[in-house]
Amino acid sequence: MSKKAIHEPWKIDLPKRIEALTVDNGKKKVAYFYEKADTSTFRYRVYNMCQALQDSSEWHGSFFFENELKEIEKFLDKIDIAIFCRVRWSLGFHNFFHQLKKRNIPFLFDVDDLV
């Protein structure tokens, strides 16, 4: 019996995720942001939401991480709404929030709990 390699389904190269954000498919784009991938909150509140949006005729979801913020700033004009899921305050996120606000791009904070 051969062993199958197991990998996380969200291990998608940044250029592919940017392409999904920038492709003109007539859908509105939601960009999800998380600190870094994990099998807990990221999986359920970010990755699974992007997967669910694949069936939407109106929306498309892409996800990005804190260390990718500078690269994503180049594509802010493609984002219709940004959702930050349980991110801790950092200078990188702080500066990114200001870039979104300057361009009137709405953004939300998803805490996924009632705390």
Side-chain angles (χ1 to χ4, degrees):
M1 188 181 221
S2 65
K3 290 184 180 180
K4 276 189 160 185
I6 298 174
H7 72 285
E8 294 88 356
W10 48 81
K11 290 224 176 196
I12 303 167
D13 292 336
L14 178 59
K16 287 184 181 180
R17 289 181 281 126
I18 289 173
E19 181 182 346
L21 178 70
T22 59
V23 68
D24 185 13
N25 59 6
K27 295 182 180 185
K28 293 180 182 177
K29 306 295 192 299
V30 56
Y32 284 87
F33 295 91
Y34 197 72
E35 289 178 17
K36 62 181 182 176
D38 61 39
T39 57
S40 183
T41 300
F42 167 76
R43 177 182 178 185
Y44 294 106
R45 300 299 299 171
V46 176
Y47 177 75
N48 286 358
M49 293 304 294
C50 289
Q51 292 297 299
L53 288 173
Q54 287 182 355
D55 293 332
S56 172
S57 61
E58 295 180 43
W59 288 91
H60 176 81
S62 295
F63 59 87
F64 305 98
F65 303 109
E66 183 174 15
N67 66 331
E68 299 168 339
L69 292 175
K70 282 290 185 196
E71 186 67 26
I72 302 309
E73 279 185 16
K74 300 173 191 173
F75 304 100
L76 290 180
D77 63 319
K78 303 295 183 184
I79 297 173
D80 292 296
I81 190 166
I83 299 176
F84 296 86
C85 186
R86 288 188 106 181
V87 300
R88 293 176 285 185
W89 184 92
S90 71
L91 186 56
F93 280 125
H94 177 86
N95 292 336
F96 197 80
F97 297 149
H98 282 288
Q99 292 300 317
L100 292 169
K101 191 171 183 177
K102 192 162 73 171
R103 289 170 176 79
N104 293 318
I105 299 169
F107 56 97
L108 306 168
F109 188 74
D110 179 359
V111 293
D112 89 328
D113 56 30
L114 298 176
V115 176

